Amino acid sequence: MPSPVPATLPAKAIGHHPKVARLPHLTATPPSKTASRDQAWQIAPDLLTSFRYAWAGVCYAYGTQRNFRIHTGVGSLALATGFALRLSPTALAILSLTVALVMILELLNTALESVVDLTVGQSYHELAKIAKDCAAGAVLLAAIAAVIVGGCLLAIPILALIF
């Protein structure tokens, strides 16, 4: 059985949907702009607050996700090494973007895992496993690519220092 159309659709859309027309508990009047914002959870009133929420997400991941801390440490070490070796600005930019990509994907992986856990709770679902495994796989591939990029950019200058 298809799910009913949400009550927040405009009256025109609800009036023309045959299944919803028979559901008297759905209102045909869309909520006002103010009402929908009052019902939203934690809407940032300004840009600074938005940045605070974003930073709270980064801090949450750092505090709770071991892999995020590992990526942060290894990425910081790679960037510090790049600066110490005086890599070109282009090489540093590539290294920075690669490190950022891994950390971004780790944040998205954490967010996806949280949403999946919220949805399935304590129960097991094969689709939840697939979603989590695929998100973790994306982070793994990015981390492997970052190691390759870091190796390509750092290996020759490091070897030149040693030999």
Side-chain angles (χ1 to χ4, degrees):
M1 173 199 301
S3 63
V5 175
T8 57
L9 285 178
K12 183 178 178 184
I14 291 177
H16 290 97
H17 194 281
K19 296 216 184 250
V20 176
R22 293 188 304 246
L23 299 173
H25 65 281
L26 293 179
T27 173
T29 308
S32 70
K33 201 171 195 179
T34 306
S36 65
R37 291 198 53 90
D38 289 342
Q39 295 172 353
W41 186 73
Q42 302 247 348
I43 291 178
D46 53 51
L47 187 60
L48 182 60
T49 304
S50 293
F51 287 141
R52 284 188 190 132
Y53 289 154
W55 186 246
V58 173
C59 291
Y60 172 83
Y62 189 85
T64 63
Q65 305 299 308
R66 179 195 64 212
N67 289 346
F68 189 79
R69 289 190 299 274
I70 291 169
H71 294 310
T72 301
V74 172
S76 297
L77 180 63
L79 289 171
T81 304
F83 279 107
L85 294 172
R86 297 186 180 171
L87 293 181
S88 71
T90 303
L92 286 172
I94 292 169
L95 195 58
S96 297
L97 286 171
T98 305
V99 168
L101 174 66
V102 174
M103 295 177 73
I104 290 165
L105 285 172
E106 190 64 53
L107 286 167
L108 290 172
N109 180 45
T110 300
L112 185 135
E113 286 181 350
S114 296
V115 170
V116 168
D117 289 346
L118 176 67
T119 304
V120 299
Q122 297 293 321
S123 62
Y124 174 83
H125 196 287
E126 186 63 25
L127 293 175
K129 178 187 182 327
I130 291 169
K132 286 180 155 190
D133 290 351
C134 288
V139 177
L140 176 64
L141 292 178
I144 291 169
V147 168
I148 293 168
V149 169
C152 290
L153 295 175
L154 299 172
I156 293 174
I158 289 173
L159 290 174
L161 281 177
I162 296 172
F163 300 107

